[in-house]
């Protein structure tokens, strides 16, 4: 018989409630602190407060400054979760004062969180070298009144350089684009160097490794960037990219109930967190591979796309998603990527200002059908029902960008066909209740997640010193 994680947490909450007494010594105080933190994570706030207070009292009686600080810290996180910024700040400052006085924890640790409650913004820049092109993101990190990190997109744009084509011209264009964006971040925006990240995507790495051309791109980057960015540029792997996208895009309270898929040009990657905090990921070909397979068939793309998918891609997609059952079991799937952005732009232009847009499997069918049968209608959507001039102008600009700068018709057909197939696999067991959501911040998900993980890791390391 399987017991849900929520049931286990409730059972745990009940068991500790029965046994609570004033701490007889430091060992019991530590158990109370740990129990309180577990209860906090299970949203059992009243019981969490009780046990953390008992743990704090026990640490005080034992005159142990470190565990007093730990108790104050966890009380701070508790009140953060309860949206009480005043109490959160009070307890976190108490913890900070104890840590810095005796345990060498720098201001970057707790002060990042406490300072965030005062609405301070920090600016970061990220450059993502992808299969289709180079993307730059300038984002502002600010901790909200509940102490959780929020990201605001200041700038997000890309240059299509076609790095995955593997030609010297594409590599030169890619290197020049990276240099231009570094100039934007470091010089024109004066972002501190340690807050700028340059990373190659997992999809690009896979494509170029298969063609034995990754060293050629690295050489072009090294030559172009030697005076401005001498560091080697790392390539993120698919598992890490998928996990960081979740961390940087999806609210933590949805991690156990949702899954994500990023349908990129170089590859499709995604995954979900399990109850034991493990990240399960998938990785399979993206839209460029689909386009090449259709073109290699020698038949017109519009006539052959669905058959090529059925013959060559369906088994790959089905096998990869099938080995991770929560893609079928979980009701809500977040789907990112340029092809999904194109669907939302063309079929739901009125939603241009919404960060999260729900769409359906029927939308994917319509998207594919229009791309094949009436491309003119697809790429010139009716926007007469949009009342707001601001929304209308934004929607017009988005449509123009997708039509003229991102996808050609054959690429739209290929991507729409792959998207349809992916959604079919995800909705096999519950087609009527499955929900698909496009999140616009998916485009900066990895850099947001990277920053959050960096702060979290540094905080933990410094706290343990």
């Amino acid at each position: 018989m399987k017991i849900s994680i929520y049931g286990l947490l409730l059972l745990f909450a009940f068991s500790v409630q029965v046994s609570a007494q004033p701490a007889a010594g430091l060992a019991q105080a530590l158990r109370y602190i740990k129990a309180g933190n577990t209860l906090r994570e299970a949203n059992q706030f009243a019981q969490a407060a009780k046990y953390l207070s008992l743990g704090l009292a026990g640490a005080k009686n034992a005159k142990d400054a470190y565990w007093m600080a730990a108790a104050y810290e966890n009380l701070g996180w508790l009140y953060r979760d309860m949206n009480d910024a005043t109490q959160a700040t009070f307890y976190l400052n108490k913890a900070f004062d104890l840590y810095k006085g005796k345990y060498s924890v720098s201001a970057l640790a707790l002060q990042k969180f406490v300072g965030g409650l005062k609405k301070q913004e920090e600016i970061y820049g990220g450059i993502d070298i992808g299969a289709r092109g180079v993307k730059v993101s300038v984002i502002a990190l600010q901790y909200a009144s509940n102490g959780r990190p929020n990201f605001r997109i200041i700038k997000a744009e890309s240059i299509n350089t076609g790095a995955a084509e593997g030609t010297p011209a594409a590599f030169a264009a890619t290197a020049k684009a990276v240099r231009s964006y570094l100039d934007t971040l470091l010089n024109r925006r004066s972002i501190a160097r340690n807050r700028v990240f340059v990373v190659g995507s997992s999809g690009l790495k896979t494509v170029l490794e298969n063609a034995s051309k990754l060293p050629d791109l690295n050489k072009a980057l090294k030559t172009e960037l030697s005076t401005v960015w001498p560091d080697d540029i790392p390539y993120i792997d698919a598992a890490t990219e998928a996990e960081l996208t979740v961390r940087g895009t999806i609210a933590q309270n949805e991690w156990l109930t949702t899954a994500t898929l990023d349908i990129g040009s170089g590859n499709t990657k995604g995954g979900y967190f399990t109850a034991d905090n493990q990240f399960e990921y998938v990785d399979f070909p993206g839209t460029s591979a689909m386009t090449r397979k259709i073109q290699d068939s020698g038949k017109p793309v519009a006539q052959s796309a669905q058959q090529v998918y059925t013959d060559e891609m369906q088994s790959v997609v089905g096998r990869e998603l099938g080995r991770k059952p929560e893609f079928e079991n979980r009701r809500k799937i977040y789907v990112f990527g340029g092809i999904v952005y194109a669907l939302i732009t063309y079929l739901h232009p009125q939603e241009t200002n919404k960060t999260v847009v729900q769409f359906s499997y029927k939308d994917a069918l319509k998207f594919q059908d229009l791309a094949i049968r009436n491309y003119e209608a697809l790429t010139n959507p009716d926007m007469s029902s949009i009342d707001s001039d601001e929304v209308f102008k934004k929607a017009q600009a988005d449509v123009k960008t997708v039509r003229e700068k991102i996808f050609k018709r054959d690429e739209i057909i290929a991507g729409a066909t792959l998207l349809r197939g992916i959604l079919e696999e995800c909705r096999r067991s519950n087609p009527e209740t499955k929900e698909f959501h496009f999140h616009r911040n998916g485009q900066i998900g990895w850099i947001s997640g990277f920053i959050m993980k960096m702060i979290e890791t540094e905080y933990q390391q410094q706290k343990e010193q």
Side-chain angles (χ1 to χ4, degrees):
M1 176 180 179
K2 294 183 179 179
I3 302 176
S4 72
I5 185 66
Y6 304 106
L8 288 171
L9 288 169
L10 289 173
L11 183 62
F12 173 79
F14 176 76
S15 66
V16 293
Q17 180 178 0
V18 170
S19 61
Q21 301 177 36
L26 183 60
Q28 190 170 20
L30 304 192
R31 289 196 292 272
Y32 283 155
I33 292 170
K34 292 177 182 178
N37 194 46
T38 300
L39 287 161
R40 174 185 68 80
E41 292 175 349
N43 294 332
Q44 302 292 317
F45 295 144
Q47 286 296 308
K50 176 180 178 180
Y51 278 86
L52 289 172
S53 296
L54 286 169
L56 175 60
K60 285 181 175 179
N61 288 337
K63 295 182 171 55
D64 191 300
Y66 178 84
W67 286 107
M68 287 169 58
Y72 280 129
E73 178 189 350
N74 282 289
L75 281 164
W77 301 147
L78 171 65
Y79 283 101
R80 175 202 66 183
D81 292 350
M82 295 170 66
N83 295 324
D84 188 337
T86 301
Q87 285 289 86
T89 302
F90 171 78
Y91 284 116
L92 290 175
N93 274 321
K94 295 279 283 186
F96 176 73
D97 288 342
L98 286 168
Y99 280 139
K100 76 174 182 178
K102 193 173 181 181
Y103 296 98
S104 303
V105 175
S106 78
L108 187 59
L110 288 177
Q111 277 195 336
K112 273 193 176 291
F113 295 92
V114 178
L117 298 174
K118 301 174 183 177
K119 304 294 184 181
Q120 296 174 348
E121 267 192 345
E122 297 176 355
I123 308 301
Y124 291 83
I127 297 174
D128 181 3
I129 308 171
R132 180 175 292 275
V134 181
K135 183 187 304 176
V136 66
S137 303
V138 180
I139 60 178
L141 166 65
Q142 176 179 301
Y143 285 86
S145 59
N146 63 3
R148 295 196 182 280
N150 288 330
F151 290 91
R152 178 172 62 87
I153 302 175
I154 297 174
K155 177 185 180 71
E157 68 176 40
S158 61
I159 300 174
N160 287 348
T161 61
E165 296 171 7
T167 65
F171 291 161
T174 298
K176 288 184 183 301
V178 174
R179 184 183 181 113
S180 175
Y181 282 146
L182 278 170
D183 179 63
T184 296
L185 299 177
L186 297 172
N187 299 323
R188 281 181 274 173
R189 290 189 176 269
S190 299
I191 300 175
R193 190 180 184 83
N194 64 354
R195 292 184 182 176
V196 173
F197 308 98
V198 186
V199 175
S201 75
S202 60
L204 176 61
K205 181 183 179 184
T206 298
V207 171
L208 294 184
E209 281 184 335
N210 289 340
S212 300
K213 292 187 175 181
L214 189 59
D216 296 336
L217 173 60
N218 289 337
K219 182 178 179 181
L221 290 168
K222 199 77 173 176
T223 300
E224 182 69 34
L225 307 178
S226 59
T227 58
V228 293
W229 195 267
D231 306 335
D232 289 336
I233 295 175
Y235 290 84
I236 197 168
D237 61 72
T240 303
E241 187 171 350
E243 179 179 346
L244 291 180
T245 298
V246 173
R247 290 181 177 276
T249 308
I250 309 304
Q252 190 170 355
N253 61 6
E254 289 192 282
W255 286 3
L256 296 183
T257 59
T258 63
T260 65
L261 283 167
D262 182 358
I263 306 173
S265 176
N267 64 343
T268 299
K269 57 273 180 191
Y272 51 81
F273 279 100
T274 61
D276 57 355
N277 203 36
Q278 297 300 306
F279 188 79
E280 299 288 342
Y281 80 97
V282 295
D283 177 22
F284 53 90
T287 58
S288 288
M290 181 67 188
T291 302
R292 286 194 302 273
K293 287 180 181 295
I294 297 171
Q295 292 171 341
D296 290 347
S297 72
K299 300 176 183 178
V301 173
Q303 298 174 19
S304 61
Q306 189 59 48
Q307 191 61 51
V308 170
Y309 174 81
T310 302
D311 293 344
E312 300 192 41
M313 289 286 284
Q314 186 174 21
S315 61
V316 176
V317 174
R319 180 174 63 250
E320 189 71 4
L321 291 174
R323 67 185 186 84
K324 302 297 180 184
E326 293 306 306
F327 281 105
E328 270 196 64
N329 297 337
R330 295 189 179 184
R331 179 176 180 177
K332 188 174 182 180
I333 309 290
Y334 284 101
V335 193
F336 316 120
I339 196 63
V340 193
Y341 172 65
L343 180 151
I344 298 300
T345 299
Y346 285 145
L347 300 189
H348 301 287
Q350 73 281 1
E351 310 285 11
T352 186
N353 282 339
K354 288 189 178 179
T355 302
V356 180
V357 182
Q358 185 171 351
F359 67 101
S360 67
Y361 173 68
K362 289 182 179 179
D363 284 331
L365 293 178
K366 181 179 179 180
F367 185 46
Q368 182 193 32
D369 183 67
L370 284 173
I372 293 173
R373 301 178 188 278
N374 197 342
Y375 187 70
E376 183 68 21
L378 174 68
T379 57
N380 292 277
D382 180 10
M383 293 185 280
S384 60
S385 63
I386 300 177
D387 295 330
S388 167
D389 289 341
E390 177 190 355
V391 173
F392 184 83
K393 290 178 181 178
K394 177 71 163 51
Q396 273 190 321
D398 288 350
V399 167
K400 184 177 180 181
T401 296
V402 174
R403 185 176 58 225
E404 298 181 7
K405 296 183 178 181
I406 300 181
F407 290 112
K408 299 175 182 177
R409 186 190 180 198
D410 285 357
E411 295 169 328
I412 285 282
I413 293 172
T417 303
L418 178 60
L419 173 61
R420 171 187 172 177
I422 290 171
L423 299 192
E424 283 176 349
E425 296 296 334
C426 291
R427 67 192 291 273
R428 285 191 182 280
S429 62
N430 51 356
E432 301 305 320
T433 59
K434 201 73 171 186
E435 294 182 8
F436 300 105
H437 297 257
F438 170 67
H439 201 306
R440 296 185 191 276
N441 287 352
Q443 65 178 316
I444 62 159
W446 75 262
I447 184 65
S448 304
F450 185 88
I451 294 166
M452 291 168 66
K453 193 155 182 91
M454 178 194 70
I455 293 172
E456 176 185 326
T457 300
E458 186 165 359
Y459 166 69
Q460 290 297 334
Q461 289 174 344
Q462 292 178 0
K463 191 180 78 170
E464 292 168 2
Q465 289 176 352

